[in-house]
Amino acid sequence: MPRFAFFTAAALAATLTFGLAHAQEVADPSEAYTLSRGAQLYDKWWVPIKAPEPTETHPAYPAAGKKSGKNTWRCKECHGWDYIGAEGRYSKGSHFTGIIGVSGMAGADPAAIADLLRAELHGYTPAMIPDAALAQLALFISKGQVDPAPFMADDKSNGDAAAGKVFYQGLCAGCHGLDGRKIKDADSLGTVSGNTQEMMHKVLNGQPGEAMPALRVLDRQLVADIVAYVQTLPE
Ligand code: HEC
Ligand code: HEC
């Protein structure tokens, strides 16, 4: 399928998803919308649901880890942007935890995943993540994980940056600037784009609490093209 032909239909859906990004309740959410909400919860769950931020370090966060405080409650901090935990990017470095990933639960019953998150080890109470949000998160784990590995080579996106440029300049530059430096008080996209798995997650699902679009509807290779272009932006 030619990528541009796909985009015409996808662009409409993306626009709709974009407009709904801040709605608390949608009458009839598409599955893509629900999965992107779940993915944003995986990223930083207290932001989209405006829950109180955790204060202590997560009790299951390993002593060998280098982080502390609220960020140790983010799913991504223990399980990785690549969803494969100790098998992936977080096998070493400042985010090391040595914990298994969540990719093994792809296809699992969302209710069983929700139970796992309510159980003592994870300790996510309804006061932290209410049932409706937990269901979105569980559905993301079951049906929404996009393995970034096929879209990477040598840790970078294997996409076509020239193809991605057109989409970046049309879809992203309004907020981020043509050079990726426009958002005040945020690092430039060129500075933060080194983690390809994180970039794929953000472009597919949006940024928690921001009006940034969630582009799950796009052809995956096109998302990789956009990421490839972002990786050429100046620091
Ligand atoms: C502080 C670290 C930590 C955080 C944060 C964390 N987990 Fe986990 N998670 C673990 C550990 C440890 C295990 C493995 C438990 C075991 O081996 O039985 C696990 C296991 C899992 C599993 C089962 C994987 C499998 O194949 O058996 C899923 C699914 C999961 N976590 C999802 C999540 C989600 C979703 C979040 C965010 C709401 C989250 N986790 C946050 C530590 C964490
Ligand atoms: C409606 C405005 C808007 C649009 C359109 C938008 N973004 Fe964003 N994006 C944001 C905001 C706001 C943030 C949060 C910045 C911050 O605080 O780090 C963000 C964050 C990000 C981040 C995470 C940065 C980090 O440090 O974690 C990435 C990556 C990103 N955007 C890429 C893109 C790409 C690629 C596109 C186009 C496909 C895009 N954005 C479109 C507003 C937007």
Side-chain angles (χ1 to χ4, degrees):
M1 173 165 48
R3 283 186 214 158
F4 287 84
F6 182 92
F7 185 71
T8 317
L12 180 64
T15 311
L16 296 173
T17 309
F18 176 78
L20 292 169
H22 275 132
Q24 278 298 317
E25 300 288 342
V26 266
D28 185 18
S30 66
E31 185 173 83
Y33 175 85
T34 303
L35 294 176
S36 66
R37 288 287 293 187
Q40 290 186 19
L41 294 162
Y42 183 88
D43 179 337
K44 202 184 244 190
W45 51 266
W46 57 87
V47 174
I49 55 177
K50 300 185 174 69
E53 294 180 359
T55 48
E56 309 293 321
T57 297
H58 194 295
Y61 189 76
K66 295 189 172 65
K67 306 288 176 190
S68 60
K70 64 182 177 186
N71 283 330
T72 62
W73 286 84
R74 295 169 70 179
C75 312
K76 77 94 198 167
E77 194 58 54
C78 285
H79 297 297
W81 293 113
D82 48 15
Y83 322 118
I84 55 175
E87 303 289 310
R89 194 174 185 104
Y90 285 4
S91 62
K92 55 186 189 306
S94 63
H95 294 281
F96 168 83
T97 59
I99 294 171
I100 60 169
V102 293
S103 61
M105 294 296 262
D109 176 8
I113 297 170
D115 286 348
L116 202 65
L117 298 173
R118 289 271 187 255
E120 196 180 347
L121 177 123
H122 280 104
Y124 293 104
T125 64
M128 300 171 110
I129 308 181
D131 285 347
L134 201 76
Q136 294 173 333
L137 185 46
L139 196 70
F140 166 70
I141 298 294
S142 176
K143 291 187 76 171
Q145 300 181 55
V146 176
D147 178 7
F151 305 103
M152 294 179 63
D154 294 335
D155 258 7
K156 292 281 182 191
S157 167
N158 68 7
D160 176 351
K165 175 179 176 176
V166 182
F167 290 90
Y168 178 83
Q169 295 191 343
L171 283 171
C172 321
C175 292
H176 287 284
L178 288 172
D179 61 0
R181 289 169 166 157
K182 187 175 168 187
I183 297 183
K184 304 248 180 319
D185 306 323
D187 290 332
S188 71
L189 289 184
T191 305
V192 299
S193 60
N195 184 333
T196 305
Q197 296 96 330
E198 175 181 0
M199 292 300 109
M200 291 289 293
H201 183 98
K202 298 276 192 189
V203 178
L204 286 165
N205 301 301
Q207 176 80 348
E210 306 291 354
M212 179 162 146
L215 299 176
R216 294 191 73 88
V217 287
L218 287 195
D219 177 85
R220 301 287 185 252
Q221 189 60 53
L222 189 47
V223 172
D225 294 347
I226 296 171
V227 172
Y229 182 70
V230 169
Q231 291 180 329
T232 70
L233 292 173
E235 293 202 350

